[in-house]
Amino acid sequence: MREEMTNNIKYIMSFLITVLFMPLPEACWASKNEQIQGLIYEESVNDFSCSPGGTKIGTQAAGENFYHRDTSCQEPDDPKEDLKYKKWHKKLRKVLNYHPANLPEKFMQAIHNFKHILQLPQEPPEDDSIIPIFVMGPPRSGTTLMGAYLGSCPRVYNFIEYTGFYLSLEIGPECQSKVEAPYKEHYYPSLFKHAKKFCVKQARAQNCIAYVDSNPFNLLIIKKLQQKISPAIFIIMLRNYKGVIPSLERSFKDDRLWAGETDQARAALYLKFYRCLDDVDPARAIYLDYDQLCRHPESTLKEFEKAFHSKLTQVCGTHIPEWKFNREVFCQAHATSNKNMSSEKRCIGKRTLEGGIKLESIQPYNEEEWPLEREKALQTLVEQYDRIFEKEEAKPRSSSFREVWSCFS
């Protein structure tokens, strides 16, 4: 690209210097030996016709435009002056590497190239100075909670549940999958680029160096996100179905119809998400067990923060000072409506009299919501769940997958 630009500039400069500085002597010299017949001047009319009031250059006589000039001029009165122009032009040709006979063609090609560049601006290089962080998992698996925790760092812009990526990669193409639209091939890639640039712009406007998106549905497009966004960190939330399905039931009663009307529908949604674990790149992912966070909040959170900063340094390729997060987010419920709660939602964070935050152990789900009949009705879910568990455990990881999923055994 740089060489092409250099050549374009060279030919344009050659033309302008020829026209502006030595139209008369060159035309006389050339017409005597090469009979150019004014090509340099006439060929430029197509793209550069003079507009009313425009500047007229290179005239042979008053009121005559340069592209109308007559090359049948006479020899210069002063032979020395003619010789001076010949020597200077010879040197100019040597420097610029062009010949008057083929200059118009090269000049017009250079102008065409410049027009193409101006009409189709080059894409700027992707900005990788803003670090994307994705928290994902089935709905009601703690994604909003951990997104809020990571977003409590002043360096991180919290998008909460940003739908831009899922819209451009899944929802939009799916809506038009059976529509013959000629623009689809270009529109949705363009929409995805906008979604990325929007995140970077918003984060930079708040002087942040990272952003977090805790939309759980991003797990369904994890493979595409890993291919299209790099570097990035992916936090995978793991939670037992005994906690997720009752929470999805409450969501359905809050008019979130996607949560499923029956336990079987909720179980299918739950398994649909965790089947996507096959597509997760372990080198870019951190698994966080929500049930373990509830049972052992202090130790689980410390291990997570250590793993997160290690992954952050690995992804960025340089040492990143530890980020400070605000544990106050654990003192309130996230992504759960109180309208259909039978009792007050318990949180692992408690405010102390001294104004600090203390983390306390709580039960990750209510055993009373799982009578034997309900468990038997979801026997298929339990069996598929175990198969996913065994398959994931067989994969090589830095730590045992059984430890990560310890609450599922």
Side-chain angles (χ1 to χ4, degrees), residues 29-53:
W29 173 61
S31 64
K32 185 176 181 180
N33 299 300
E34 303 178 19
Q35 299 295 321
I36 295 181
Q37 299 298 326
L39 283 175
I40 295 176
Y41 312 102
E42 294 172 359
E43 288 292 334
S44 62
V45 176
N46 295 331
D47 277 12
F48 294 96
S49 298
C50 285
S51 58

Side-chain angles (χ1 to χ4, degrees), residues 362-404:
I362 62 173
Q363 288 300 316
Y365 52 85
N366 186 359
E367 287 285 0
E368 294 179 358
E369 294 181 314
W370 283 94
L372 185 60
E373 294 78 13
R374 191 178 194 182
E375 187 85 35
K376 288 183 177 180
L378 293 177
Q379 186 63 35
T380 303
L381 164 65
V382 176
E383 292 174 356
Q384 293 189 48
Y385 196 86
D386 289 340
R387 284 198 291 271
I388 293 174
F389 168 75
E390 293 172 358
K391 188 176 182 180
E392 290 296 328
E393 181 190 313
K395 295 182 179 179
R397 299 179 185 274
S398 57
S399 59
S400 171
F401 196 78
R402 185 176 292 278
E403 292 178 6
V404 179

Side-chain angles (χ1 to χ4, degrees), residues 151-213:
S152 68
C153 175
R155 294 174 167 233
V156 181
Y157 185 88
N158 186 10
F159 272 96
I160 310 178
E161 294 188 16
Y162 178 61
T163 58
F165 299 119
Y166 191 64
L167 172 66
S168 60
L169 293 176
E170 187 70 18
I171 299 271
E174 177 63 24
C175 286
Q176 289 195 310
S177 60
K178 297 181 180 180
V179 178
E180 294 297 331
Y183 58 84
K184 290 193 300 183
E185 181 180 352
H186 304 288
Y187 175 72
Y188 289 108
S190 175
L191 187 62
F192 176 77
K193 289 181 180 179
H194 170 72
K196 286 202 300 183
K197 291 179 181 178
F198 182 81
C199 290
V200 171
K201 183 178 179 180
Q202 292 295 110
R204 179 162 290 123
Q206 299 299 321
N207 295 319
C208 296
I209 64 173
Y211 64 84
V212 59
D213 175 10

Side-chain angles (χ1 to χ4, degrees), residues 110-386:
I111 291 297
H112 173 76
N113 292 342
F114 267 112
K115 282 184 177 180
H116 181 71
I117 292 172
L118 291 175
Q119 290 173 357
L120 301 174
Q122 300 297 311
E123 283 287 336
E126 290 192 7
D127 189 338
D128 58 359
S129 62
I130 303 297
I131 307 165
I133 305 170
F134 295 92
V135 183
M136 54 184 68
R140 303 299 179 259
S141 62
T143 53
T144 306
L145 173 65
M146 289 311 300
Y149 183 60
L150 294 171
S152 68
C153 175
R155 294 174 167 233
V156 181
Y157 185 88
N158 186 10
F159 272 96
I160 310 178
E161 294 188 16
Y162 178 61
T163 58
F165 299 119
Y166 191 64
L167 172 66
S168 60
L169 293 176
E170 187 70 18
I171 299 271
E174 177 63 24
C175 286
Q176 289 195 310
S177 60
K178 297 181 180 180
V179 178
E180 294 297 331
Y183 58 84
K184 290 193 300 183
E185 181 180 352
H186 304 288
Y187 175 72
Y188 289 108
S190 175
L191 187 62
F192 176 77
K193 289 181 180 179
H194 170 72
K196 286 202 300 183
K197 291 179 181 178
F198 182 81
C199 290
V200 171
K201 183 178 179 180
Q202 292 295 110
R204 179 162 290 123
Q206 299 299 321
N207 295 319
C208 296
I209 64 173
Y211 64 84
V212 59
D213 175 10
S214 53
N215 180 11
F217 287 88
N218 283 333
L219 182 56
L220 300 179
I221 55 170
I222 178 67
K223 191 173 184 178
K224 296 178 182 177
L225 286 175
Q226 289 174 156
Q227 292 172 346
K228 294 177 177 292
I229 300 182
S230 180
I233 298 176
F234 300 91
I235 313 296
I236 312 298
M237 299 299 299
L238 307 173
R239 189 180 184 185
N240 192 292
Y241 59 85
K242 290 183 179 181
V244 173
I245 290 180
S247 187
L248 288 174
E249 182 180 9
R250 290 188 288 270
S251 295
F252 182 81
K253 292 178 181 179
D254 281 343
D255 299 325
R256 294 179 173 89
L257 302 183
W258 51 262
E261 185 175 4
T262 64
D263 275 357
Q264 284 70 24
R266 295 163 202 143
L269 178 68
Y270 178 86
L271 288 172
K272 178 181 179 181
F273 276 80
Y274 277 137
R275 287 193 185 101
C276 295
L277 292 176
D278 281 341
D279 298 325
V280 176
D281 179 7
R284 302 166 65 184
I286 301 174
Y287 292 86
L288 177 60
D289 187 335
Y290 178 82
D291 293 8
Q292 285 291 84
L293 179 64
C294 291
R295 291 190 177 102
H296 311 286
E298 192 67 48
S299 59
T300 302
L301 202 57
K302 286 183 178 179
E303 290 178 7
F304 168 77
E305 291 177 351
K306 182 180 179 181
F308 176 79
H309 287 112
S310 174
K311 190 69 67 176
L312 188 64
T313 298
Q314 175 186 339
V315 167
C316 296
T318 182
H319 176 70
I320 303 293
E322 288 194 3
W323 294 353
K324 301 298 181 182
F325 304 106
N326 188 353
R327 294 191 173 189
E328 190 173 355
V329 300
F330 294 115
C331 297
Q332 57 183 335
H334 295 267
T336 301
S337 170
N338 291 324
K339 185 172 66 173
N340 293 296
M341 292 292 293
S342 57
S343 60
E344 183 180 355
K345 174 72 176 179
R346 295 187 60 198
C347 303
I348 62 174
K350 301 291 182 182
R351 293 181 177 89
T352 64
L353 296 177
E354 295 78 14
I357 304 296
K358 181 182 179 181
L359 300 182
E360 295 182 345
S361 174
I362 62 173
Q363 288 300 316
Y365 52 85
N366 186 359
E367 287 285 0
E368 294 179 358
E369 294 181 314
W370 283 94
L372 185 60
E373 294 78 13
R374 191 178 194 182
E375 187 85 35
K376 288 183 177 180
L378 293 177
Q379 186 63 35
T380 303
L381 164 65
V382 176
E383 292 174 356
Q384 293 189 48
Y385 196 86
D386 289 340

Side-chain angles (χ1 to χ4, degrees), residues 23-33 69 71 73-76:
L24 181 61
E26 168 58 20
C28 295
W29 173 61
S31 64
K32 185 176 181 180
N33 299 300
R69 69 174 286 123
T71 57
C73 52
Q74 302 298 319
E75 289 282 349

